[in-house]
Amino acid sequence: MSATKVMIPFVFLLLLQQLIKQVIRVYVFNQLFNYQWQICNQLKYNIKEFNFQNFEPSKALFLFFCKLFNKIRKHVRRTEIKEALLSENFELEMNVKGWVRTKRASKNVAFIALNDGSTIHNLQLVVDLEKIPEEALALMHTSAAVSATGHLVPSAGSGQRVELSVNSIELLGEANPDEYPLQPKKHSLEFLREKAHLRFRTNTFGAVSRIRHAMIFAIHKFFNDKGFYNIHTPIITASDAEGAGEMFQVTTLKLDNLPLNEQKEIDFKQDFFGRSANLTVSGQLEAELAALALSKVYTFGPTFRAENSNTSRHLAEFWMIEPEVAFFDIHDDMDLAEEMLKYLIRYALENCKDDLNFLSKRLEEEEKNKKADEKSMELISKLNFVLENPFERITYTEAIDILKNSNHNKKGKFSYPIEKWGADLQSEHERYLVEKHFRKPVILTDYPKDIKAFYMKQNDDGTTVRAMDVLFPGIGEIIGGSQREERYDKLLQRMEEMHVEPEGLWWYLETRKFGTVPHAGFGLGFERLMLFVTGMGNIRDVIPFPRTPQNCEF
RNA sequence: UCCUUCUUAGCUCAGUUGGUUAGAGCAUCUGACUGUUAAUCAGAGGGUCGCUGGUUCAAGUCCAGCAGAGGGAGCCA
């Protein structure tokens, strides 16, 4: 009896103690943790302003709390490596998680380069092998996932400012080196394409991925800041008259048992939409509808072309930005295109320095065996060069004259000699204009109407249309756009001439009947922009999972 | 789709006018090393030379077909 009498208050006290500990942990120390930076900053402030007066006691108090906090707190929250590398928190324990890039070990100390994708730079983990047995690191090969806790310290080595002196380390996921295909060395981009599921873990693809995000974000920011509205145009479309290329068909019909109508043709009435449908090749026509009410709109969505194109500049699935603006003529359109490209390049230079520096060095390394005149301009200089110089604007007719009178043409160096006005320019001609003659981006306008789409505004000369193509060095056409034909009769006439069925586009034509106004827009291939900004050579290396003919892996 | 080049170890690549048992660096494993930067040093294991057929005493090497990849062209963004 007396034993239980003694036990009751004892248990009660024990519970109370636990409760108090919990309260202290949750409230007091979490507060301290959350405000550690304010405290640090306050201390620094004290150093500067009060010349060390009041500093020592508060520093001592701070360090005391840090020590106490390190002992009591059970869970150390993860710090991203990008933040850790800039941190000056040398007092509180820090936890980092990521994937091993390389491990180097000697008798007493091991080094692990850890990366978590937040930056191209690695955090060096320093493991004292007297404190942590080597066996604990045995499975931490390249690409193993690791969680490490320790104190950030100024680096004793010379390769980095800070490093993490590890107190405890845990293997989160191993990567068996006998099976894991990537090594801490340079792989060919072709090989990495076959390992697209793992290539995010390489420096190059990490850098490209971060820049890709920055460009996506900057595009939305650019348009938002200018008062444009983003429009989601349909991905599945029934109109096949856009003339932008071969389309992928979308159907729920059983392909091994297609229903036929009385004319023995496939009966699309039985298909999901009651008619034949395709994946979009362009959001332009729908974007025009929105622009003729909202004034300034843009689309940024996936685009699909079933062309059997096998080049370093083409994808079957790519992303396209298509602004469309009411009351714009072709000159406003060119201004917008140039302003936008420069904005995006500037954004990359200002926000992706580390990644661009890496890609620049990579490119230099790759091209070091090339002859001087085959080498491309250093990446960052090239981007700055485009920023600083206005794009050259000439008409198709002027371009033909320049090409015709060029020494290159006279010496017969073109595979397709320039003979008569009216033919489409070949890649070699565009490249000559951009890379040899003007040596900067060129905007070509006023093309012959027969080589351009039906919706482009016809000039008064009766032979040309208000098209504009922006040509970039190394890439070719990065933007294709035009002022649109806003006159109902002219548009209808052009559709008939080019065998585009007006019935399927009745809705498009109606906008020319109800409050039609001059308007213009363009399409920017997002991956082609990425090629230019990253300096990569193949479009399959600037999109995570490229879709090309005979390739739909991942 | 056309032109062209390539395919050798897990990766990157040598391999001579066809001639013994096909090599190197990296990676892996073992050992050495007091702080490394894609660490270094020593050693070990690792190959149906893309596949199929042909020429030849003899084929990684020459020929044909097929497959895959790269570069260029066309189409375009």
Side-chain angles (χ1 to χ4, degrees), chain A residues 396 422-425 447-453 465 494 498:
Chain A
Y396 167 90
D424 208 352
L425 297 178
Y447 281 80
K449 66 177 180 183
D450 292 332
I451 58 171
K452 288 290 179 183
V465 288
R494 201 70 194 121
M498 298 183 83

Side-chain angles (χ1 to χ4, degrees), chain A residues 3 13 16 48 72 84 216 284 291 387 430 454 480 497 504-505 543:
Chain A
L13 279 174
L16 193 68
K48 278 181 195 159
I72 288 174
I216 293 168
Q284 180 202 316
L387 271 190
E430 295 181 349
F454 72 91
E497 281 169 14
L505 292 175
I543 187 168

Side-chain angles (χ1 to χ4, degrees), chain A residues 11 30 101 129 190 256 275 303 334 454 500:
Chain A
V11 169
N30 261 3
R101 282 295 170 79
L129 296 176
E190 293 83 15
D256 53 1
R275 59 198 291 186
T303 309
M334 287 190 276
F454 72 91
V500 177

Side-chain angles (χ1 to χ4, degrees), chain A residues 80-126:
Chain A
E80 287 194 359
I81 285 173
K82 182 183 182 179
E83 194 189 321
L85 289 172
L86 295 169
S87 172
E88 300 205 355
N89 165 24
F90 299 125
E91 284 80 26
L92 283 170
E93 268 200 324
M94 186 180 276
N95 170 267
V96 292
K97 292 178 169 68
W99 293 268
V100 174
R101 282 295 170 79
T102 58
K103 182 178 72 172
R104 301 174 287 274
S106 59
K107 198 175 182 182
N108 297 326
V109 63
F111 301 94
I112 291 174
L114 198 73
N115 188 283
D116 67 359
S118 58
T119 163
I120 194 160
H121 301 296
N122 303 324
L123 177 66
Q124 173 153 282
L125 309 181
V126 184

Side-chain angles (χ1 to χ4, degrees), chain A residues 312-331:
Chain A
S312 54
R313 304 183 308 281
H314 288 87
L315 291 165
E317 177 185 289
F318 64 101
W319 291 72
M320 189 152 66
I321 299 109
E322 295 177 288
E324 198 66 42
V325 190
F327 317 111
F328 256 31
D329 65 14
I330 186 82
H331 303 287

Side-chain angles (χ1 to χ4, degrees), chain A residues 24-36 39:
Chain A
I24 289 170
R25 188 181 301 135
V26 171
Y27 292 99
V28 180
F29 291 105
N30 261 3
Q31 291 277 317
L32 176 60
F33 185 85
N34 283 335
Y35 292 114
Q36 60 169 297
I39 294 170

Side-chain angles (χ1 to χ4, degrees), chain A residues 336-353:
Chain A
L336 181 68
E338 184 166 345
E339 187 187 347
M340 173 184 175
L341 288 167
K342 287 182 171 174
Y343 177 91
L344 296 175
I345 290 166
R346 189 174 296 115
Y347 190 92
L349 284 168
E350 285 170 3
N351 294 278
C352 308
K353 273 203 187 93

Side-chain angles (χ1 to χ4, degrees), chain A residues 260-265 267:
Chain A
L260 302 179
N261 61 18
E262 286 168 5
Q263 288 82 42
K264 301 280 178 204
E265 293 162 338
D267 184 11

